[in-house]
């Protein structure tokens, strides 16, 4: 019954994301930017779907995957530098830039940690809390760095597209700060979500 409820819940999440996806593709800021921003979400969700029979992640991990995909899909519609709510925050608090991308990268840092923790406990059967957390932290930071490089490679020779896609908003250290926020998200997950120790203790699927 518990497993059935989880499947129903995951189907609801997928349904909500599909509605968000359809909304996102209707009159986005730029279709090329939309495609570049959304394709990692689609690939990631397809991987989770195809590997479900091999490893079933916890509900917590699936929820955060959904949240991360949602952030990227909304950002794809407006472009990361022009999400309306964060434009309002920028004006209300007299900030220099729209910081939606920073929050997105913070969430981006959370997901790899959750996935790596479960892979190491459930598949590799590791029991060292220190190594599980350290490897998951470094994996998250590495993925963030690779993502920044891929962003750079994808817009070489297209200066107009580059500014819109990267959402740097004139900030010279944008890529470095993106990685910093991803690392902060990863570290916060390790510190505040005490799930790894419980997974090791019960050695079963953790929800």
């Amino acid at each position: 019954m518990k497993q059935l409820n989880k499947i129903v819940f995951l189907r609801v999440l997928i349904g909500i994301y599909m509605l968000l996806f359809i909304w996102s593709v209707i009159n986005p800021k730029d279709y090329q930017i939309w495609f570049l921003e959304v394709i990692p979400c689609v690939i990631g969700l397809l991987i989770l779907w195809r590997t479900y029979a091999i490893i079933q992640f916890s509900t917590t991990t699936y929820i955060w995957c959904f949240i991360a995909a949602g952030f990227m899909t909304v950002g794809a519609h407006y472009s990361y530098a022009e999400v309306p709510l964060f434009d309002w925050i920028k004006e209300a608090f007299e900030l220099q830039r729209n910081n939606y991308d920073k929050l997105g990268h913070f969430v981006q840092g959370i997901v790899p940690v959750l996935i790596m923790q479960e892979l190491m406990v459930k598949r590799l059967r590791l029991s060292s809390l220190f190594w599980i957390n350290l490897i998951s932290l470094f994996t998250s930071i590495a993925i963030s760095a690779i993502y920044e490089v891929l962003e750079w490679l994808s817009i070489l020779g297209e200066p107009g597209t580059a500014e819109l896609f990267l959402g740097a908003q004139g900030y010279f250290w944008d890529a470095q700060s993106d990685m910093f926020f991803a690392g902060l998200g990863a570290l916060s997950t390790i510190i505040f979500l005490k799930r790894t120790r419980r997974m090791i203790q019960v050695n079963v699927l953790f929800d």
Side-chain angles (χ1 to χ4, degrees):
M1 181 62 69
K2 184 177 180 182
Q3 182 65 19
L4 179 60
N5 290 338
K6 181 174 182 178
I7 292 173
V8 171
F9 178 73
L10 292 178
R11 286 175 177 173
V12 170
L13 285 185
I14 292 171
I16 295 172
Y17 179 74
M18 290 306 299
L19 292 175
L20 182 64
F21 183 90
I22 292 169
W23 164 81
S24 179
V25 76
I26 299 173
N27 297 321
K29 174 76 175 182
D30 180 279
Y31 274 105
Q32 182 180 357
I33 300 303
W34 178 87
F35 177 80
L36 291 173
E37 298 287 9
V38 163
I39 195 64
C41 298
V42 175
I43 293 173
L45 293 176
L46 285 174
I47 291 173
L48 289 176
W49 173 60
R50 294 293 295 176
T51 58
Y52 187 80
I54 301 173
I55 178 169
Q56 297 175 24
F57 293 102
S58 67
T59 302
T60 301
T61 295
Y62 284 124
I63 289 174
W64 277 106
C65 288
F66 167 76
I67 292 171
F71 263 98
M72 296 180 73
T73 305
V74 171
H77 180 81
Y78 292 112
S79 87
Y80 275 79
E82 299 180 21
V83 174
L85 174 61
F86 283 75
D87 271 342
W88 176 83
I89 293 174
K90 172 185 174 182
E91 295 173 4
F93 293 93
E94 298 182 352
L95 304 176
Q96 295 183 343
R97 68 192 306 279
N98 182 312
N99 286 312
Y100 181 82
D101 62 325
K102 302 309 174 191
L103 182 57
H105 281 282
F106 183 89
V107 174
Q108 183 192 62
I110 293 173
V111 173
V113 169
L114 298 178
I115 290 176
M116 284 301 298
Q117 285 178 339
E118 294 201 38
L119 283 174
M120 285 186 282
V121 172
K122 296 175 181 177
R123 302 299 295 181
L124 301 180
R125 303 296 181 184
L126 295 183
S127 59
S128 170
L129 193 64
F130 172 80
W131 286 110
I132 290 172
N133 287 333
L134 187 66
I135 293 171
S136 62
L137 174 64
F138 286 173
T139 300
S140 181
I141 294 173
I143 289 174
S144 178
I146 291 170
Y147 188 80
E148 293 299 320
V149 172
L150 292 177
E151 277 190 333
W152 172 67
L153 291 174
S154 67
I155 46 79
L156 285 178
E158 300 183 52
T161 301
E163 177 59 30
L164 196 60
F165 178 51
L166 298 178
Q169 303 174 65
Y171 183 41
F172 183 78
W173 300 105
D174 182 68
Q176 290 84 348
S177 65
D178 286 348
M179 289 185 284
F180 170 78
F181 276 95
L184 193 61
L187 190 60
S188 298
T189 304
I190 292 170
I191 293 174
F192 296 111
L193 291 183
K194 305 295 186 180
R195 63 205 299 276
T196 313
R197 185 181 299 278
R198 281 178 283 177
M199 280 196 294
I200 292 171
Q201 289 171 343
V202 298
N203 197 26
V204 295
L205 292 180
F206 174 74
D207 288 307

